[in-house]
Amino acid sequence: MDAANEFIDSTPGMELMTRSSLHSMRNPSQVSIFLRETLTQEVDERNWSWTFLRRQFRVKGLEELYVHYQRRLQHAYFSVFLLLQIFCTTIQISLIASTTKADMVDLACYSALLVLCFPVLFLACTERLMPTRGSSPWRPLFISAAVLAVLLAADLGPVAYHFHGQHMHLRPLYGAHTVLAAYIFLPTPSSSVAVGLGLVATAAHVACLAVVTHDHQDQRFLAKIFGEALFLLAVNCLGMYFRLVSEVILRRTFLDRRACMESTYKLNYEKEQEEQLMLSILPRHIATQVKDDIRSIFQQLQTYRNTPLRKKPFNQLYVQKHENVSILYADVVEFAKLTVTLPVNKLVETLNELFGRFDEASEEHNVLRIKFLGDCYYCVAGVPTPNPQHAKSCVELGLDMIAIIREVREDRRLNIDMRIGIHSGNILSGLLGVCKWQFDVWSKDVIIANRMEQSGKPGMVHITEQTRRHLGDEYQYEPGHGEQKDPLLAKYNIRTHLICPPEKIVEMHQERAFIRQQHQSRRTSLLINKMHDQYKSGSLLVPRLSNSRSQMRRSTGGSDYVNGNSSPVRRRTVFMDSNLYVYQQMLKRTDKHMADAIDKMPLRKVDQWLRGEKIHPLLLKFENIKWEIPFFKQADPLFKFYLSCSLVILIFMIGLQVLAIPSTPFVSWIVYILGCAFLLVLAPSAWACYIYHHYRDPHNELDRTPPPENGVALALYLWAQKIAQSVPLRSFLYLAVTFVIAVCAFSNTVVSCEDGESNSNGTAKFAYTKIHGNCETPWHVTEACSMAILCAMVFLKTHFVLKLVTNLILLGVYAWFVWTANADLFSSGVGTNPGLDARWSHLMLVSFLAICVHFIDRQADYMNRLDFIWKRQLMAEQEEASTTRTVNKMLLRNILPNHVGQYTINRLLPPSFYFLQKFYINFHAV
């Protein structure tokens, strides 16, 4: 706090101005609404609708860019799949090789699959397999079909070989694994293609199970086949669910990113316009210094919000000394008569045209305009950067002013001329005032330049002897006799000279005026047509405030008027067209920036591990540990889908139970009924908020839906909101749902078998070839446990470490049942490879699915963290742009009257980017 007080003591007047300006500005922060929704717990569930998102992409024409984004993500998932396949195949080869009866056909088949994965992995990691740009749209389909065919051949080929040669009943291992790959890992171009490949994989595995694995003489052959098909169908549903929910998340994230970029561009555009307005009032070197001081105080006030205000006089002076400069004063002759003869609007228009063209001429000659008072215009050459040719620059500017006013005089038929005085010397420049600043110059030499203008002749440039020394003999001089007309010049014994405009310059300006009068209308029409063609082709550049007026004037021949009459309708049309052009170009730049950002995303495994973007590659945590809590606290409006899908999984498990066991034990039915009752109550309650929003606002016309008034409806509404917003509650519900499904999956393994024989330890003995009445088959337990493992994949945005822990616990319990509690049951079943203990086959299937789910969770969490980092960066950019804009507004409020500054800003900025967005979307649709 002491440091803050010390800082405030150094600039009390600046702090007073900053606090006063902040208090008068209603909303200095312009952070995007999408960032507030992402980084806080506020959420509008209507924005997460699949149909709403698809419609937004179609209307805004973003599908092509989204396909590019999706293609890069598919590369990442395909790389993950290849790594997963290499790991699983290596484990399987090791287990087969460790047995005493290792089959060479199996080893050769799996080894060929393993070797094939490495070059494909290299191509996928380098994104050469499917280039994101310029590749054939059929390539992803061909690659997906080829990979699926290789997987089916490697999985079903050895099983069919052993059945054909030795009549051995074996099971394929990668049934669920292959189906998940079709939906999640393979680069399928569309959901319909994924469904087709998933059904092909399902049909192939069901056919293999029916022909090779199961005994046709078994009385329950059809029931078992339907059970196998039901399990694979459940995996298909889970894969399609993951694909659709992932698409919602990706599209929502994509729109949020683009909206953030668009908002940043809008802020930058407004900031640039306000800065250009400010620079038209203050010189850049003074404005930069003042802005830096205001920014530092602004940041201090944000850091120390409760610091007491110490109202002391303004003691920060922005005054600089400049040597070897030239000062030019110009005055419009006969202007007093114009104030009587001309209407006020014509008078202001004439001055605006004159001074506007004077400003352009001063920029061309590197002369700094100080200000204009009424009809007086004065400027300085050699400020802020020293200029050895400062005298020549002022003289050339004076000659141009004389030529310009002659053009205006001829165009408007007015009796006006210019009287110009120039003197060279030293000055002081800076700001004066506390509440309303004024930039000005002071010195004896400034007063002399003013007297030179007053004692000069119309249509000529009046210079002092000191200025002439800098010019040499480059111009034609006449005696000025200024010391005879002004006592101050006589007091300092200053000799003066007059410079006449060369005839060639006068003739050149007269010729330009004649050409402009002849072709003004034609050039205006050509300009409008050219801008329209550029707008249609997308090549129109956004005009800047500093040069847009000069560009328009030069393009139209030098004037905004036709025969001295203004055209308000034309100016309004051009202004509106310009705003539409600005908005259209902003959208194009946003799309280009979005495409570049997608190309630079570190999605490849090489980028993730070697060039990670602020994320630890193994632990998947932010380098900035402070980001972890905001990341965890993000709302999850899709949690209702997770609960609904969990209910669907439980229903599939019940169907599998009915098909696998003809007479399910009563205790198992009690467990399933209680589990269904729990999810049937929980899942619909999570939809209460969504249902109410669609009931009250079916067409999304309201910005914010009021909560229900009924007590029960309000309780359900608040409960659904609490689920979406509360991280601890969602974590507890995930654990509860996982526990319920796991208990249902393992319920039959803890129930005694009525027809089984018991040994001395009480463990039931089974023979797979025997029909066991009420007893289950071992692969039914494995498939039920697989569904419990896959349930973790349903909760997409739950933290991957929590899901990893729960799956490890489930896997440990399952392994205990396989190797200890029901070892006889699992060892007597059908295996996947000859000579390999069937228990290893069961454990491999569940373990591989658990590893697959973990890889999916890690990739999804990594993508969520990349999105969070990107939005954090965009938020920082927006805050920086907002701070700069706030500082600019502070400066304008302390230079111009409030109503003048606000009116000028409103005229310079597009009237409403939201209106322009609606207009552009409708125009694009038409």
Side-chain angles (χ1 to χ4, degrees):
M1 185 65 70
D2 294 337
N5 290 336
E6 181 180 356
F7 179 85
I8 291 175
D9 286 338
S10 64
T11 54
M14 184 70 75
E15 184 205 19
L16 173 62
M17 183 277 295
T18 305
R19 286 182 181 269
S20 176
S21 297
L22 280 175
H23 180 72
S24 63
M25 297 174 66
R26 295 183 178 180
N27 185 24
S29 178
Q30 302 292 331
V31 181
S32 172
I33 186 174
F34 299 100
L35 290 179
R36 287 198 296 270
E37 179 177 312
T38 300
L39 302 178
T40 64
Q41 295 182 358
E42 300 177 8
V43 65
D44 187 353
E45 294 194 6
R46 295 173 296 180
N47 293 333
W48 290 79
S49 169
W50 186 78
T51 55
F52 169 79
L53 294 173
R54 284 249 172 154
R55 184 171 62 251
Q56 288 293 310
F57 273 76
R58 184 176 63 256
V59 169
K60 295 183 178 182
L62 299 177
E63 279 297 332
E64 183 177 354
L65 197 59
Y66 173 74
V67 169
H68 175 50
Y69 179 55
Q70 188 182 41
R71 186 70 62 84
R72 287 220 63 202
L73 295 180
Q74 288 176 341
H75 270 104
Y77 273 101
F78 190 50
S79 301
V80 169
F81 169 73
L82 292 172
L83 290 173
L84 174 64
Q85 191 63 45
I86 290 173
F87 177 79
C88 295
T89 306
T90 303
I91 296 296
Q92 188 175 13
I93 291 175
S94 301
L95 289 176
I96 295 174
S98 63
T99 62
T100 58
K101 299 179 180 180
D103 188 87
M104 298 306 297
V105 175
D106 290 9
L107 289 176
C109 185
Y110 297 138
S111 298
L113 176 63
L114 181 63
V115 171
L116 185 61
C117 285
F118 285 100
V120 180
L121 176 63
F122 173 78
L123 294 176
C125 288
T126 56
E127 297 188 358
R128 299 178 183 176
L129 192 64
M130 296 175 297
T132 55
R133 299 182 185 277
S135 61
S136 171
W138 295 99
R139 180 178 291 187
L141 176 59
F142 173 77
I143 293 175
S144 300
V147 172
L148 184 68
V150 172
L151 289 176
L152 291 176
D155 192 25
L156 305 181
V159 175
Y161 170 79
H162 291 298
F163 177 77
H164 178 74
Q166 306 173 19
H167 296 284
M168 186 179 298
H169 294 278
L170 298 174
R171 287 181 63 94
L173 179 63
Y174 295 106
H177 181 85
T178 306
V179 173
L180 284 179
Y183 287 95
I184 300 174
F185 295 114
L186 297 184
T188 51
S190 64
S191 297
S192 59
V193 173
V195 171
L197 294 180
L199 293 178
V200 168
T202 300
H205 279 88
V206 170
C208 180
L209 291 169
V211 175
V212 177
T213 304
H214 292 286
D215 187 3
H216 296 178
Q217 304 300 322
D218 192 344
Q219 296 179 0
R220 301 186 56 248
F221 171 77
L222 291 179
K224 291 180 179 180
I225 295 302
F226 280 119
E228 302 283 4
L230 185 65
F231 169 70
L232 292 178
L233 182 61
V235 177
N236 275 271
C237 292
L238 284 175
M240 193 61 196
Y241 160 85
F242 183 89
R243 190 178 183 92
L244 293 178
V245 176
S246 296
E247 182 181 351
V248 171
I249 295 176
L250 289 179
R251 288 183 180 271
R252 180 70 267 168
T253 301
F254 188 93
L255 282 181
D256 289 351
R257 284 181 172 183
R258 189 179 181 279
C260 292
M261 289 183 177
E262 187 176 327
S263 178
T264 302
Y265 272 118
K266 175 179 176 292
L267 280 174
N268 289 333
Y269 173 78
E270 295 178 359
K271 180 192 70 174
E272 290 175 1
Q273 301 307 302
E274 292 167 358
E275 185 171 353
Q276 291 299 324
L277 174 61
M278 182 186 62
L279 292 179
S280 68
I281 304 172
L282 293 181
R284 183 179 296 274
H285 66 287
I286 293 292
T288 302
Q289 185 179 359
V290 177
K291 283 170 59 178
D292 291 341
D293 290 342
I294 293 179
R295 178 185 294 273
S296 60
I297 296 177
F298 180 70
Q299 293 173 350
Q300 287 286 335
L301 293 179
Q302 288 184 325
T303 304
Y304 304 97
R305 295 181 184 273
N306 298 324
T307 302
L309 175 64
R310 301 186 178 187
K311 298 183 179 180
K312 293 184 179 181
F314 182 79
N315 62 1
Q316 183 74 16
L317 295 178
Y318 298 94
V319 178
Q320 297 178 353
K321 182 178 180 180
H322 305 278
E323 298 179 350
N324 295 323
V325 301
S326 293
I327 307 102
L328 181 149
Y329 267 82
D331 188 74
V332 180
V333 181
E334 302 293 340
F335 179 76
K337 294 182 179 179
L338 294 181
T339 60
V340 180
T341 57
L342 282 181
V344 176
N345 62 330
K346 298 296 183 182
L347 180 66
V348 174
E349 288 175 358
T350 302
L351 280 179
N352 183 59
E353 182 179 4
L354 275 176
F355 290 161
R357 298 182 65 180
F358 290 168
D359 286 343
E360 296 168 9
S362 64
E363 289 181 6
E364 293 177 2
H365 294 291
N366 195 22
V367 179
L368 176 65
R369 188 257 290 164
I370 304 301
K371 65 170 65 172
F372 39 81
L373 299 172
D375 62 332
C376 179
Y377 185 100
Y378 65 100
C379 50
V380 179
V383 176
T385 304
N387 180 11
Q389 302 293 326
H390 55 85
K392 181 178 179 181
S393 297
C394 277
V395 171
E396 292 293 332
L397 175 60
L399 295 175
D400 279 356
M401 285 180 170
I402 294 173
I404 289 171
I405 200 169
R406 288 181 178 178
E407 291 181 19
V408 175
R409 179 176 60 192
E410 294 174 2
D411 289 342
R412 295 178 175 269
R413 298 179 178 84
L414 300 175
N415 184 22
I416 55 176
D417 209 334
M418 289 299 294
R419 189 170 55 234
I420 297 174
I422 300 176
H423 175 60
S424 301
N426 304 324
I427 64 169
L428 295 174
S429 69
L431 293 180
L432 287 180
V434 177
C435 294
K436 295 298 179 184
W437 291 331
Q438 287 288 332
F439 176 77
D440 212 337
V441 292
W442 318 274
S443 73
K444 179 186 71 174
D445 295 319
V446 174
I447 298 175
I448 292 175
N450 188 14
R451 296 299 181 90
M452 289 292 294
E453 176 268 317
Q454 295 176 8
S455 59
K457 289 185 178 181
M460 304 184 73
V461 179
H462 195 198
I463 65 172
T464 62
E465 178 64 26
Q466 189 171 353
T467 301
R468 179 179 176 177
R469 294 195 194 105
H470 294 282
L471 297 174
D473 297 330
E474 189 171 348
Y475 300 94
Q476 298 177 0
Y477 304 102
E478 297 179 5
H481 305 295
E483 67 277 6
Q484 300 177 6
K485 303 177 183 179
D486 189 277
L488 181 65
L489 300 180
K491 177 182 177 181
Y492 293 108
N493 193 23
I494 297 176
R495 294 178 57 193
T496 64
H497 308 274
L498 293 172
I499 299 178
C500 299
E503 292 298 328
K504 61 179 182 179
I505 296 181
V506 177
E507 294 176 357
M508 179 183 67
H509 284 282
Q510 289 177 349
E511 182 180 358
R512 186 192 306 171
F514 175 77
I515 295 175
R516 185 181 65 254
Q517 291 176 356
Q518 295 293 325
H519 302 285
Q520 184 176 27
S521 300
R522 177 175 172 269
R523 291 188 178 184
T524 302
S525 177
L526 291 176
L527 173 67
I528 298 298
N529 293 334
K530 180 180 178 181
M531 294 175 70
H532 180 69
D533 294 339
Q534 290 177 337
Y535 169 71
K536 293 176 64 178
S537 63
S539 61
L540 182 68
L541 298 177
V542 180
R544 294 176 61 88
L545 175 62
S546 59
N547 58 13
S548 58
R549 179 175 55 188
S550 61
Q551 289 176 350
M552 178 66 75
R553 180 176 288 110
R554 285 192 294 266
S555 300
T556 56
S559 178
D560 291 333
Y561 307 94
V562 180
N563 297 327
N565 298 322
S566 62
S567 178
V569 175
R570 183 181 63 83
R571 290 204 303 271
R572 285 197 297 268
T573 302
V574 172
F575 176 72
M576 187 60 190
D577 289 344
S578 177
N579 286 330
L580 288 175
Y581 300 149
V582 167
Y583 182 73
Q584 186 235 16
Q585 287 301 112
M586 185 186 70
L587 294 182
K588 288 185 176 296
R589 289 204 308 273
T590 301
D591 291 342
K592 185 179 184 302
H593 189 186
M594 188 76 181
D596 294 339
I598 291 172
D599 290 333
K600 296 177 182 178
M601 288 177 65
L603 297 179
R604 301 183 304 175
K605 288 303 169 185
V606 176
D607 297 332
Q608 182 177 344
W609 284 88
L610 301 181
R611 297 186 293 273
E613 187 176 329
K614 302 178 182 179
I615 301 175
H616 193 280
L618 179 62
L619 302 179
L620 291 186
K621 67 180 185 65
F622 297 113
E623 292 180 359
N624 187 354
I625 198 65
K626 295 181 180 179
W627 288 2
E628 291 293 336
I629 294 179
F631 177 73
F632 290 148
K633 287 185 176 181
Q634 293 182 102
D636 188 1
L638 300 178
F639 201 80
K640 55 183 177 292
F641 291 99
Y642 309 162
L643 297 177
S644 302
C645 189
S646 300
L647 178 60
V648 173
I649 290 176
L650 189 57
I651 293 174
F652 272 108
M653 290 176 63
I654 294 175
L656 187 63
Q657 179 83 2
V658 171
L659 292 173
I661 302 177
S663 179
T664 304
F666 178 75
V667 176
S668 296
W669 280 119
I670 294 296
V671 172
Y672 278 108
I673 290 173
L674 291 177
C676 280
F678 173 73
L679 289 177
L680 282 173
V681 172
L682 184 61
S685 65
W687 286 84
C689 190
Y690 180 85
I691 294 173
Y692 175 76
H693 281 160
H694 277 266
Y695 170 74
R696 288 296 304 271
D697 186 20
H699 302 293
N700 292 338
E701 297 174 348
L702 301 177
D703 293 334
R704 187 175 294 273
T705 307
E709 299 178 357
N710 181 270
V712 177
L714 180 61
L716 291 174
Y717 180 86
L718 296 177
W719 166 254
Q721 279 191 334
K722 186 69 174 177
I723 291 177
Q725 297 174 0
S726 174
V727 179
L729 179 58
R730 293 200 303 269
S731 300
F732 172 77
L733 291 178
Y734 163 72
L735 293 175
V737 171
T738 303
F739 176 77
V740 168
I741 293 181
V743 169
C744 293
F746 293 117
S747 61
N748 289 328
T749 60
V750 297
V751 178
S752 61
C753 182
E754 296 179 5
D755 295 340
E757 301 175 2
S758 299
N759 58 15
S760 58
N761 296 328
T763 303
K765 296 182 179 179
F766 301 90
Y768 183 75
T769 56
K770 178 181 177 181
I771 301 176
H772 300 293
N774 293 340
C775 298
E776 57 187 347
T777 61
W779 284 102
H780 161 252
V781 180
T782 299
E783 291 171 347
C785 185
S786 299
M787 287 190 180
I789 293 289
L790 292 174
C791 183
M793 187 181 69
V794 169
F795 295 81
L796 267 71
K797 302 191 75 172
T798 303
H799 198 274
F800 80 100
V801 174
L802 179 61
K803 293 192 283 187
L804 175 63
V805 171
T806 56
N807 276 351
L808 287 177
I809 294 174
L810 288 177
L811 191 59
V813 173
Y814 174 77
W816 177 76
F817 277 113
V818 171
W819 291 97
T820 304
N822 288 333
D824 293 338
L825 170 67
F826 287 96
S827 61
S828 62
V830 175
T832 56
N833 299 97
L836 183 65
D837 192 339
R839 290 176 296 180
W840 282 114
S841 300
H842 289 276
L843 197 58
M844 277 196 298
L845 174 60
V846 178
S847 300
F848 289 173
L849 285 179
I851 296 172
C852 178
V853 169
H854 179 63
F855 273 56
I856 293 173
D857 292 339
R858 285 182 61 89
Q859 185 65 24
D861 192 81
Y862 179 71
M863 291 304 307
N864 291 334
R865 289 176 181 270
L866 280 182
D867 296 336
F868 186 83
I869 289 175
W870 198 354
K871 290 173 183 177
R872 278 279 180 179
Q873 292 173 346
L874 290 173
M875 185 184 70
E877 293 176 4
Q878 286 196 336
E879 288 291 353
E880 175 64 23
S882 178
T883 300
T884 304
R885 187 185 178 204
T886 301
V887 172
N888 290 342
K889 283 192 173 183
M890 288 181 185
L891 281 173
L892 292 176
R893 286 174 179 271
N894 286 275
I895 297 174
L896 298 174
N898 290 339
H899 66 286
V900 175
Q902 191 62 43
Y903 175 79
T904 307
I905 291 174
N906 292 338
R907 287 295 302 271
L908 292 174
L909 297 179
S912 172
F913 271 91
Y914 177 77
F915 165 75
L916 291 175
Q917 180 182 11
K918 293 294 185 182
F919 182 88
Y920 179 75
I921 289 175
N922 293 334
F923 177 78
H924 181 73
V926 172

